[in-house]
Amino acid sequence: MNLTLFGQTLVSGLLQGGIYAQIAMGLMLGLGVLGIINFAHGEFLMIAMYVTLIVFRLDINPYLAIFISFPLLYFLGVILAKYLIIPILDRETMAQFLIMIGLSLVLMNLAMIIFSPNFYTVKAALTGKTLKIGEIIIGANRLLGFAISILVTGALLWMMQKTELGRNIRAVSQNRYAASLVGVNVKAIYQIAFGISLATLGISGPFLTPIYYVSPNIGSFFILFAFAIVIVGGMGNFKGALVASFLIGLADAFGAVLLPGSTGPILPFIFLILTLLFKPKGLFGGSGI
Amino acid sequence: MINKNGIFKLIILITVIAMLGAGLAGCAPKPSGGADENNGDQGEVSNVEPVKIGVLAPLTGGLASIGEQLKNGNELAAKMINENGGIKSLGGAPLELIFLDGEGRQEVAMGEVERAIDQEKVSVVTGSFHSPSAMGATQVAERLKTPYLIQVAGADDITNRGFNYVTRVSVNLFKYGYDAVSYFDWLNKEKDAGIKKIALIFEDADFGQSTAKGSKEAIKDLGFELALDLSYPAASTQNMTPYVSKIKAANVDAVIATSFIADALLLADSIEELGLDAIKLGISGGFADPLFAENIGSKVESWFLADNFNTDIPGIEEVNNKYSETYNSKMGGHAAHAYQSILIIADAIERAASRDRDDINNALKETSITDSSKIIVPYKAIEFDEKGQNIYAEPVVIQYQDGERKTVFPSKFATSEPKF
Amino acid sequence: MIEQTKQNNLIKTLLYILTIILVLAVLKLPSNIVHVLILVFFYAYVSTAWDILGGYAGQMSFGHSLFIGVGAYTSTLLLLRLGITPWIGLFVSGLIALVIGAFMGFLCFRSNITGFYFALVTIVFVEISRYLSLGFEWTGAAKGLYIPYKGNNISNLQFDSKYMYFYVIFAMYIGILILYKAIMKSKSGFYFLAIRENEEAAESIGINTYKYKMLATIISSFLVGVAGSFWAQYITFIDPYTMFDFMLSVQIIFFAVAGGRGTLFGPLVGAALFVPLSEGLRTMMGRIAGINILVYGIILILILRFMPDGIFVWVKDRLKNLSHGR
């Protein structure tokens, strides 16, 4: 492995990690606050991507889709929380998990029926543009995706730490009974938190679509990595998740380059299993939210 | 008064009955894709008993659009034959196609083929696009001693198992991989391309693994250097840049890729992004899909694409026009192979002068079609080797030039010069 | 009381006779329906086996397609490479699945990985197995393995009609029912339940939870491994993508959960209702790709949302209310 290849793989892994982070952050919020294992998280990204596709097909700049996908996913989140998720919060983990798998199947196949199983791509202003640093080449689309990811993470952190809403969310996630005693509307907080959890995908969708393609099963590509990140980073630890995203992204990229045949994707998974064995609370400890 | 235990028993009873009832209701002979609906337009009905041919295709499910093309090709060929007087040696017996919907699922395909042979009493089975379905279905046909002519399914093992009742018209995967390298050899000799180091990148299912096997053998045979041998899992690869970086670092002259559509798009994007400077050839699958060209735009002109058909092949205008007239769409490789297969079967039945499966199978294996007016696929002849593979099935290499799909290799079918 | 026992015995006898008649009636059914019945009992068997670990001992495994795959591969490789009859292969398959299950259990339960974490590890195991199995020429790599037809031969566990496969899987199902019932009545079964209900409490009354979770895992994985061999023999063609498949795991769980988790007949009820439904949906609405899985998903959500204990328990409760005349 020469230096250029190493550098290129490093950059590619970090960029990929940034993309994983966007998806993991929202997942973490839902998991940390409501305790719901949202297996359908990737499918909500898919919805945002189809929104982007439709906008693009209408000859509008695909990045503008954010003005539709962001509010759409927020409201979807609020409604789902109200009618599907809050009613099952007292049920055992297995039932919750299976319901979310059911939701994932429903959304995926609904998309297949509406949009056909075909693949579609979206071209944005930056498509095909690259940035060159020495021998290392960076796709402009990926770089933008990366920047958005850092922004989303930063915004979430700021919201959780500095705003009234964030304080309430943290209070509910730490002790919902105590929070309700001091006058926090727990149900409302749940709905808002889940809404935000999905709305982050509404931001990601328009920026990820030009890098990938849109298809009904696009969400399932990301979901296992997103879960791995949440666990490696430590449940409820946003900063930990950000670092874990990069680690998983790097494991993914270096796995592809170093491991034989198509065994590359095993590396992130082995990383996950090792973390669970030796640091079951995550590399950086679960902090709650 | 029934106690708790009794209720348990009652439930078993209900279950068993419900099960049988539901089984009966759910699985009664399939109406969809069945005979009545699809066999409407196959030309005049003569008073001679028809020869029944089972045609397996994924008429529903995710592969339905391909199934549709296969169905059209088969139907058109049967119609033309019936209009020209059917099978003359059987007193003008018409061909009757029984369409079998395999849904692109192996177990369904196996069940349908078994039904066609057992209950519909077909003399021959043909069809197949989805390789696993074809693998299973040929196994059924072999067991029930019924000739099976594969139209487009590419898996090597379909014919490599040495079955007695299986033949295949189209190119197999090994050959695709092998001929991709032969093409480079030709480029070196005729066009001074100067290719030495080749990288292979392929998706890690049977499709990619089999073509790669062919390419590796050709690289050895023809004296190239295999610089890289990369595979990736198509279902979970979202980032192709690490692979492309690796190819770039290896400084190769040419790349051969085998991908499905989604990964083909990602690969082409990453190659563009990292500015990989090499001759690129994509094998069938995702690269042959019109979506590939549609989605990557003008960049597609830098790719060579290996496929089993192209519309610029000389001598197919008549069938082509008829097809467009009838189905309002352009004839593609699937439909062309389907059409060709029915011609081959009709030829075999004509020679066998029999409806008997073994007679037809023997005639089928002795097929020798060399008259180019009877061939609409880019093969110079049709003859089967001892395993049932069409000896002359070779891929054509296609390049988009000024927005048109031009055949550039082999010379016999070429309509343009390769540009690189 | 005596009256009741008598009546019970009568019902029992009638049921046995009816079951026998129905089972014999299978011979008169067309082969595509027998195929569905084979699927029903195959899934009922596998779901029951899953239920020992997932429903009874409460450990949510999504890794059971791995055991089916391992079983299918083991017996097929033994047959193809070494010429060993699948009848022996069945047991070796079970044993290899057991070893892998034990390894998985050892990793997870030693480090107290349970619940969602356990589920995730099992999913990851399935993924890893698929990537690994793609790479070995000896296991057929991506193109998989096929079992050549050698003629109707019971010693090869190969038949030219579907009826015999039906009777084999039916017998296997009866076998697992008896075993399941025995486990329910045994001390281990009681400990499994205690672990499911409250692991900490179980530990505090002196149950070695690690030992019993391991026990449930190895029983379950062994039984599923055996079923994998049967599946390979019946379908005669296996490859990594259809064997090590997450959706297959979900289906196994779905039948058990929809029918009734932790009950004797729950998995059969689930499989008997939803296998034909899914087959029927595909036949009726197959032109729309994905519709059958969509309906699956909706049913999964509805059942879990409104019949938390599954259809079997729901119907039983309704019947009980009826017979007690509210």
Side-chain angles (χ1 to χ4, degrees), chain C residues 25-325:
Chain C
V26 166
L27 280 170
K28 288 279 162 219
L29 292 173
S31 66
N32 49 348
I33 293 178
V34 178
H35 172 69
V36 176
L37 287 178
I38 292 171
L39 288 185
V40 167
F41 281 99
F42 171 75
Y43 280 116
Y45 172 96
V46 178
S47 291
T48 308
W50 175 87
D51 203 44
I52 293 170
L53 177 65
Y56 221 66
Q59 305 303 311
M60 181 166 52
S61 161
F62 279 79
H64 273 53
S65 63
L66 168 61
F67 301 134
I68 293 186
V70 165
Y73 267 98
T74 307
S75 67
T76 307
L77 285 170
L78 285 176
L79 175 70
L80 295 182
R81 308 281 187 253
L82 303 171
I84 293 173
T85 162
W87 289 108
I88 297 174
L90 279 175
F91 289 96
V92 183
S93 293
L95 287 178
I96 304 249
L98 181 152
V99 169
I100 292 176
F103 175 66
M104 207 161 80
F106 170 78
L107 272 184
C108 293
F109 300 142
R110 266 285 164 216
S111 326
N112 234 339
I113 294 172
T114 53
F116 158 60
Y117 293 87
F118 179 68
L120 198 64
V121 171
T122 56
I123 293 174
V124 163
F125 257 81
V126 175
E127 296 290 307
I128 291 180
S129 324
R130 190 176 57 239
Y131 294 128
L132 290 180
S133 65
L134 284 172
F136 294 104
E137 198 60 33
W138 195 74
T139 62
K143 71 169 183 272
L145 298 168
Y146 88 101
I147 299 172
Y149 180 71
K150 292 262 172 66
N152 203 8
N153 189 336
I154 196 157
S155 68
N156 277 341
L157 189 52
Q158 200 168 52
F159 314 104
D160 60 4
S161 81
K162 290 198 154 80
Y163 307 108
M164 284 311 291
Y165 289 104
F166 171 79
Y167 290 118
V168 172
I169 192 67
F170 187 77
M172 282 168 70
Y173 179 69
I174 299 295
I176 205 170
L177 277 188
I178 294 166
L179 183 74
Y180 193 97
K181 196 139 196 206
I183 291 173
M184 278 169 100
K185 283 186 177 155
S186 71
K187 206 169 64 183
S188 307
F190 171 73
Y191 291 157
F192 290 166
L193 266 187
I195 292 168
R196 179 180 90 183
E197 293 310 323
N198 189 337
E199 196 169 333
E200 275 165 39
E203 198 130 349
S204 69
I205 58 166
I207 297 173
N208 184 344
T209 58
Y210 171 68
K211 184 175 143 196
Y212 285 100
K213 281 195 283 188
M214 282 298 274
L215 182 66
T217 311
I218 60 175
I219 294 175
S220 184
S221 53
F222 175 84
L223 292 170
V224 176
V226 172
S229 293
F230 168 81
W231 185 247
Q233 284 297 316
Y234 174 58
I235 229 64
T236 68
F237 179 79
I238 53 173
D239 74 74
Y241 288 97
T242 50
M243 289 289 109
F244 303 113
D245 178 21
F246 172 69
M247 268 309 292
L248 181 59
S249 288
V250 171
Q251 258 182 326
I252 296 169
I253 300 171
F254 173 70
F255 294 134
V257 172
R261 210 148 52 86
T263 61
L264 188 56
F265 291 109
L268 178 65
V269 173
L273 287 177
F274 295 113
V275 170
L277 178 75
S278 147
E279 296 288 305
L281 277 174
R282 274 199 300 109
T283 323
M284 287 182 286
M285 298 198 267
R287 280 187 193 279
I288 312 166
I291 190 110
N292 53 326
I293 305 180
L294 177 75
V295 175
Y296 245 66
I298 293 174
I299 293 174
L300 182 64
I301 295 174
L302 290 179
I303 288 181
L304 280 161
R305 177 80 175 73
F306 299 107
M307 300 180 193
D309 298 317
I311 296 168
F312 182 64
V313 176
W314 189 84
V315 171
K316 206 169 75 180
D317 288 350
R318 295 297 170 287
L319 279 181
K320 213 183 272 170
N321 283 343
L322 270 184
S323 68
H324 290 307

Side-chain angles (χ1 to χ4, degrees), chain A residues 8-20 137 139 142 211-213 218 221-222 225 248-257 264-265, chain B residues 201 231-245 262-263 265-271 273-274:
Chain A
Q8 187 75 58
T9 313
L10 190 73
V11 168
S12 147
L14 289 175
L15 290 178
Q16 189 70 12
I19 287 164
Y20 289 154
I137 297 163
R142 278 177 212 278
I211 307 177
Y212 301 109
Y213 48 84
I218 184 87
F221 290 117
F222 294 104
F225 286 119
I248 295 281
L250 286 173
D252 194 23
F254 279 94
V257 172
Chain B
I201 176 159
S231 60
Y232 63 88
S236 53
T237 301
Q238 278 301 292
N239 185 7
M240 280 285 184
T241 28
Y243 296 101
V244 177
S245 326
D263 35 330
L265 292 173
L266 289 174
L267 180 67
D269 274 347
S270 289
I271 284 181
E273 207 172 283
L274 297 184

Side-chain angles (χ1 to χ4, degrees), chain A residues 254-279:
Chain A
F254 279 94
V257 172
L258 295 176
L259 293 185
S262 61
T263 50
I266 291 179
L267 202 58
F269 291 145
I270 290 179
F271 193 59
L272 167 70
I273 291 179
L274 290 178
T275 309
L276 276 175
L277 286 182
F278 296 105
K279 287 223 148 206

